[in-house]
Amino acid sequence: MLKGKTVVIGISGGIAVYKVCDVVSRLKKLNANVHVIMTKSAKEFVAPLTFQSLSQQPVIEDMFDKVTKWDIEHIALAKAADIFLVAPATANIIGKIANGIADDMLSTTIMATKSPVLIAPAMNTNMYENPIVQNNMKKLEEYGYDFIEPDSGRLACGDKGIGKLASPEAIVENIKLKLLQNNFLKGKKVLVTAGPTKESLDPVRYLTNHSSGKMGYAIAEAAILKGADVTLISGPVNINKPIGLKNFIQINTANEMFEAVTDNYLEQDIIIKSAAVADYRPATFSNNKIKKSNNDMNLTLTRNEDILKWIGKHKKEHQTIVGFAAETNDILHNGQKKLVKKNVDLMVINDISKPYAGFGTDTNQITLIDIYGGKQSYPIMQKKELANIILDYIIKFNK
Ligand code: CTP
């Protein structure tokens, strides 16, 4: 995914240095070229050999006094960088960059690079909240440097608060976003719904379905990488929010999803309804736990609004509406019927009876049909790849 891309990582001294080992390893798995520069204090936390082994490149250390060869090489590296990451970034290195101080290998290399620079701070909460540090960060943002906000939690010093280095996963997602974002959907607003809905019966029980949200989240992520402003409306799932979302709305019930969609649909250019919305909800909600009896129990269900059908009915000229059809039989025929009935532009049909497709799996097999009679089937693929295929189809469709 990052083949041919060069990531230079500047490591300054803090307990979070160990987490950067994971960042390097993740980037290598994505086939990036990774080069590491360590400050003197960073080396107190993790030995350069660890980073050398993980990056499969010599680590540039702060050795001004000993070696002059690096002096030239670090400028070459500053030029070669497609992106420069500073992690963990201490208050000290942030202060140095913000004030133009270049007195060691890392600060001089940052000064010399023209690549985008991502800074992931990690420090004690009081230091992070100190107005001097805040001002330095603001100043750097104005110069075009980007920050990956630290997490909150228990810090190494025992304090609780903001200042933990962002997770390696979040750091890598930010790098991916910076390196891979293109303009195919620049200026477009895309709304994606994902995951199941959860319809409560009483305080302990609910009706739901097997949707994992993987397809919808993959689409949201792919749309962000194509430069779109993405709103994600999600049912309860176990997936991290994609990095770079414009708007995230968490819902539980179909009614909540309906409200969130209708509140947000007007300004959207593309609406992709991959959520598995419950067609019915319990007719009544019992405030108390329903007690069992010796008899069978009948549950009365009442219809939920068909959200996609509602959008189809209220569709605006500039909008492209995409629906999903989860089918187990007569899949093309049923998908075609849904395309017409719900007045959508494109229907993504999948056969959820297959073990490699539909709910919960990482793969899917889809057929796309559009209102102009276009039809295209695809082999079994990763949902992440299919997300791109669906978006590319929409982009072509809108030309
Ligand atoms: N959908 C919706 N609101 C509902 C039910 C479904 O917006 N109350 C949307 C889904 O998000 C999907 C499409 O309609 O994009 C088709 O969903 P699917 O479950 O395949 O079909 P249904 O319309 O529910 O029909 P059936 O369950 O009878 O197959």
Side-chain angles (χ1 to χ4, degrees), residues 273-275 277-279 304-308 323-327 338 342:
K273 280 236 66 222
S274 61
V277 188
D279 292 320
N304 281 328
E305 181 87 42
D306 187 325
I307 308 170
L308 185 58
F324 272 69
E327 305 296 342
K338 279 182 195 168
K342 305 201 186 202

Side-chain angles (χ1 to χ4, degrees), residues 197-231:
T197 61
K198 203 162 137 180
E199 314 289 333
S200 289
L201 182 59
D202 69 11
V204 290
R205 303 175 179 102
Y206 56 83
L207 303 178
T208 189
N209 57 63
H210 292 295
S211 170
S212 62
K214 283 179 185 165
M215 191 71 239
Y217 275 60
I219 292 173
E221 204 177 304
I224 294 168
L225 283 179
K226 290 183 191 297
D229 284 350
V230 179
T231 296

Side-chain angles (χ1 to χ4, degrees), residues 148 166-167 169-175 177-178 181 220-221 224-225 240-246:
I148 305 174
S167 70
E169 192 187 2
I171 291 175
V172 172
E173 285 305 311
N174 275 283
I175 291 172
L177 189 61
K178 270 264 170 252
Q181 198 164 41
E221 204 177 304
I224 294 168
L225 283 179
N240 289 336
K241 268 193 289 183
I243 303 282
L245 269 181
K246 259 266 142 19

Side-chain angles (χ1 to χ4, degrees), residues 37-56:
I37 305 174
M38 297 180 86
T39 63
K40 217 166 164 187
S41 43
K43 290 187 288 177
E44 300 291 328
F45 292 91
V46 175
L49 184 60
T50 307
F51 287 105
Q52 183 177 316
S53 312
L54 289 168
S55 68
Q56 290 154 357

